[in-house]
Amino acid sequence: MKYNKKRVLSGLLLASTISLCCASTAIAGGIALGATRIIYPQNSAQTSLSITNSDKEKVFLIQSWVATPDEKKSADFVVTPPIFVMQPQKENTIRIMYVGKNPLPTDRESLYYLSSKAIPSGKPVAGENALQIATETTIKMFVRPSDLPTQSINAPQTLRCKLDGGTVKVNNPSPYYVTLVNFTAGGKDLPNTMVAPKSEASVPLSGGPGGTIKFKTLNDYGSKTDEQTCSS
């Protein structure tokens, strides 16, 4: 899972990196991405994402790129325009195009991240202290093959769970990434957990023996599904 962090870029320019879920848009500092996750059809030449500046006065410089799960910029995708100026109360659209030389798996989804940094324009007035906030919003991008045998909406029901010592093991036999939220064992909260396709995730218990395992998941639109009890 991504986490929030802050770092000084230069001088008094402060950058805050955020990752949002459970909403229809990702919003930071007046700049809003049109979704909290992207489903990229693997057989498509490109997909698009809207970016909106709701601020009535501020102008932002927007820079966007695609990264791998280990936070390295990916050469598999090109974002255009990679950088542009965003005027107040305006909307723009970026295009994301796959240009990778090596074929991606066709039996399961592949995971990338789309990051968009919003840098406010303007310079501090000489002799005055000023703080400019640059926000970097990161959302998941799932590259989805077109001929998968099941639908993504059915993936949560295929999950299997078991208690193993001090951990909960969640097995995902489906070809989709599944993110568990409102995740509990014996009524005790567990961290949000994303389980990769055809893989298993181990989640440490928060203390004491486990019990009934319950969770919700996030659908293709970033909305929560109904609560379900995980089968063993």
Side-chain angles (χ1 to χ4, degrees):
M1 302 291 291
K2 293 281 182 178
Y3 57 91
N4 295 354
K5 60 185 177 182
K6 293 184 178 181
R7 64 183 183 274
V8 175
L9 290 184
S10 62
L12 293 176
L13 180 63
L14 182 69
S16 175
T17 301
I18 66 172
S19 180
L20 302 175
C21 68
C22 313
S24 59
T25 57
I27 305 173
I31 297 297
L33 304 186
T36 59
R37 55 188 50 215
I38 299 170
I39 307 299
Y40 190 111
Q42 190 166 322
N43 61 347
S44 296
Q46 65 180 44
T47 190
S48 61
L49 178 70
S50 64
I51 301 180
T52 304
N53 180 7
S54 62
D55 196 285
K56 295 181 179 180
E57 298 179 356
K58 290 183 180 179
V59 176
F60 291 89
L61 184 66
I62 307 296
Q63 182 181 15
S64 304
W65 65 93
V66 172
T68 58
D70 59 0
E71 299 187 359
K72 296 179 180 179
K73 287 188 177 181
S74 174
D76 290 340
F77 290 88
V78 169
V79 178
T80 182
I83 188 167
F84 62 92
V85 174
M86 194 77 177
Q87 298 295 333
Q89 295 188 309
K90 296 294 183 179
E91 179 177 324
N92 207 335
T93 299
I94 59 173
R95 294 185 298 158
I96 306 161
M97 295 171 284
Y98 179 72
V99 294
K101 296 181 180 179
N102 298 319
L104 297 176
T106 58
D107 66 338
R108 69 193 70 189
E109 290 183 325
S110 299
L111 174 66
Y112 291 84
Y113 288 88
L114 184 282
S115 291
S116 188
K117 182 184 294 183
I119 305 171
S121 65
K123 296 181 180 180
V125 178
E128 295 183 7
N129 290 328
L131 183 67
Q132 297 185 44
I133 304 297
T135 57
E136 181 181 317
T137 305
T138 299
I139 62 176
K140 296 171 185 175
M141 184 173 75
F142 302 101
V143 181
R144 180 173 296 173
S146 60
D147 55 353
L148 295 178
T150 61
Q151 295 183 333
S152 61
I153 194 173
N154 298 322
Q157 284 71 42
T158 68
L159 297 181
R160 295 294 180 264
C161 306
K162 65 178 180 180
L163 297 171
D164 186 4
T167 64
V168 175
K169 292 189 175 180
V170 184
N171 182 270
N172 175 17
S174 82
Y176 301 94
Y177 280 87
V178 181
T179 299
L180 281 62
V181 298
N182 298 114
F183 189 16
T184 63
K188 296 180 180 178
D189 292 336
L190 298 174
N192 293 348
T193 301
M194 183 172 64
V195 190
K198 304 180 186 294
S199 300
E200 184 175 82
S202 295
V203 184
L205 291 170
S206 56
T212 302
I213 300 169
K214 296 182 178 181
F215 59 83
K216 297 181 180 181
T217 65
L218 300 179
N219 62 21
D220 286 352
Y221 306 99
S223 298
K224 293 181 181 179
T225 61
D226 294 336
E227 184 180 75
Q228 69 180 71
T229 299
C230 195
S231 301
S232 61

